[in-house]
Structure formats: C-alpha cells, structure tokens
Amino acid sequence: MDTQSMHLRILLPFKVFADENEVSNIVMETSKGSYGLLPQRLDCVAALVPGIFMYETKNEGTKYIAVDAGVMVKAGSEVLVSVRNAIGGVELGKLSALVKQEFEQQEAAETNVLSVTAKLESGFIYAFDKFRNQ
C-alpha cells in the first residue's frame, strides 16, 4: 500500500462491517466536532459519537455510514474503527430513513425484553412469597 492511502477496518462487536483499502480521506464525528483524516496524519485516537462516518476510496468513491458511539485508532496507514452499531450501503439521502427504521426496531426489541424481564421478576417474587408462607 502506498503512503497516499489508508487501510480502513470498521469493527462491530460481532463482525467486521467494512474492510477497505486505498482510502484517501475519512471524516468522522467526535465529541469535539467533525474530524478529518488524511494518509499523512500523525497517529491518533479519537472517541466517536453517533453520527455520519464518511470515507472516500479511489475505486468506489465516497461512502457514508451511520455509526453508533465507539473509538477510532490511526497507526501508520492503518485506521481501525470500533463501534457498537453501523448502518450503510445506501445513499446519504436514504440513510436517515434507514437509521430511523433501525432505531424503531431496536426500541421494540428493548420494550419486549423489559416486558419479559418484568414477568420473570414478578413470577419469581410470587413463587418466593408462596414458598415463604408455607
């Protein structure tokens, strides 16, 4: 790999989301605002906040990914991004609708988990009280 490009890997807790070579620039959201990386940038680490992560490759052009909170590490030409969740593969204009749909699905799943947990807790308390009163 030449010194005018970077190797980008975006990792999720359960898989590799993206593995891109020949990345010419990267723009990400940090707690201090937008942050850009070029291949000659010194090594660094940044805490990422939920937002749009943009990178440009020589062959495929600009790509946009919605990312959750995470961390970015740049060491030489290697850039490693580790986030909790990422959504991509669509145009920037369609990304907002896709993120909204994903959040609605996650909220429904969380509500379901809370409901099941509450039922388990009440069942346990009922059984414990019944046992204690025998």
Side-chain angles (χ1 to χ4, degrees):
M1 186 179 302
D2 63 72
T3 59
Q4 297 304 314
S5 65
M6 297 174 280
H7 177 224
L8 171 66
R9 286 189 304 161
I10 300 174
L11 305 176
L12 300 178
F14 51 90
K15 70 176 182 176
V16 176
F17 182 81
D19 191 354
E20 298 281 348
N21 290 311
E22 297 186 357
V23 175
S24 58
N25 64 63
I26 298 170
V27 177
M28 68 202 90
E29 294 290 325
T30 70
S31 59
K32 301 293 183 185
S34 291
Y35 189 72
L37 285 180
L38 294 173
Q40 298 300 323
R41 172 77 167 87
L42 294 176
D43 296 350
C44 60
V45 175
L48 303 179
V49 296
I52 301 296
F53 185 91
M54 187 277 300
Y55 64 93
E56 187 173 346
T57 63
K58 293 181 181 179
N59 297 331
E60 299 177 28
T62 304
K63 292 188 177 183
Y64 299 94
I65 299 173
V67 296
D68 204 344
V71 66
M72 180 281 308
V73 177
K74 181 182 184 304
S77 64
E78 298 290 320
V79 179
L80 181 65
V81 175
S82 180
V83 292
R84 286 187 285 184
N85 199 4
I87 302 171
V90 296
E91 302 172 1
L92 182 58
K94 296 179 182 177
L95 195 56
S96 175
L98 192 60
V99 169
K100 183 177 179 181
Q101 178 185 4
E102 181 71 22
F103 282 159
E104 288 172 353
Q105 289 174 351
Q106 284 182 353
E107 186 175 318
E110 288 175 9
T111 301
N112 189 28
V113 167
L114 290 174
S115 173
V116 169
T117 303
K119 288 177 184 177
L120 286 171
E121 288 174 352
S122 64
F124 176 75
I125 291 171
Y126 175 76
F128 185 71
D129 188 47
K130 187 176 176 182
F131 176 74
R132 188 180 68 172
N133 290 330
Q134 286 185 354

